[in-house]
Amino acid sequence: MMSVSGNELGVTSAVAVNATHVALRFSNGHCGVLDMLPFVKMRSDGLRDPKVFLTARAGVNTVEWNNGLIDIEPETAYSHMVLYSA
């Protein structure tokens, strides 16, 4: 797991904004929006279903969905999201 000033980087909050984007907050205080479309397009499971996608939530340091078939590593989410100031 990525280290930030001696602390492990983790997702502390995750909320689906729409059927392809998730708003995230990290343990280092940074916030942003992750476009999941590139990840969703590669999948054949339920994550392509908007009802399933909208169940996004913070898991143990990551983003997870109710279908239990995918989670996103915090390093991947952090490096692919667009940062914003809260």
Side-chain angles (χ1 to χ4, degrees):
M1 191 172 288
M2 182 183 294
S3 179
V4 178
S5 300
N7 297 320
E8 291 183 347
L9 181 66
V11 175
T12 60
S13 176
V15 177
V17 176
N18 56 34
T20 58
H21 292 79
V22 180
L24 303 172
R25 178 178 300 276
F26 285 85
S27 55
N28 65 1
H30 291 161
C31 300
V33 175
L34 176 62
D35 180 359
M36 287 289 298
L37 187 58
F39 303 101
V40 171
K41 285 174 119 176
M42 296 185 302
R43 305 198 56 87
S44 60
D45 61 26
L47 198 59
R48 294 178 86 170
D49 179 345
K51 290 179 185 174
V52 173
F53 191 88
L54 292 173
T55 67
R57 64 183 182 277
V60 179
N61 290 323
T62 189
V63 182
E64 61 186 26
W65 283 264
N66 282 349
N67 67 358
L69 299 175
I70 185 174
D71 60 24
I72 299 295
E73 292 294 323
E75 302 86 10
T76 301
Y78 192 83
S79 66
H80 286 86
M81 75 173 184
V82 175
L83 290 171
Y84 67 86
S85 299

